[in-house]
Amino acid sequence: FPVTILALPGNSLKSLPKEIGKLKNLKMLNIANNPIVDVPTEIRYLDRSNGGSLVRLGINKDEIGEDVYRRLTELLPTTQFS
């Protein structure tokens, strides 16, 4: 069965693995309450504009900082952030 929801809130994650981009069926990714400082470019493959299925990204903008948030919005232009 393909993974469609991945919930990883509050796991002290500082980065995501580049393999995250292989989860093309992912519709919801929750990485809220993690001090993310690095986002792999491969995450763009989750976005619907690149053949992915991601609809929603759960993230805490205040916790990750403006630069990482901006990068995510550039890599995931059709994804809703919450």
Side-chain angles (χ1 to χ4, degrees), residues 5 8 18 28 31 37 44 47 51-53 56 61 72:
I5 297 173
L8 301 167
K18 65 181 181 180
M28 167 59 176
I31 54 173
V37 294
R44 72 177 180 250
D47 195 71
S53 303
R56 183 172 301 228
K61 181 180 178 180
L72 281 167

Side-chain angles (χ1 to χ4, degrees), residues 43-73:
I43 199 170
R44 72 177 180 250
Y45 299 121
L46 300 181
D47 195 71
R48 290 171 286 161
S49 67
N50 287 313
S53 303
L54 195 63
V55 175
R56 183 172 301 228
L57 176 67
I59 193 146
N60 185 339
K61 181 180 178 180
D62 295 333
E63 193 164 275
I64 62 169
E66 189 64 37
D67 291 340
V68 175
Y69 188 81
R70 186 178 320 111
R71 180 163 163 77
L72 281 167
T73 59

Side-chain angles (χ1 to χ4, degrees), residues 5-33:
I5 297 173
L6 184 57
L8 301 167
N11 281 288
S12 301
L13 299 175
K14 293 184 179 172
S15 64
L16 296 172
K18 65 181 181 180
E19 291 81 10
I20 193 84
K22 294 180 181 180
L23 299 176
K24 295 267 187 178
N25 294 306
L26 201 61
K27 293 184 179 189
M28 167 59 176
L29 174 60
N30 184 349
I31 54 173
N33 301 315

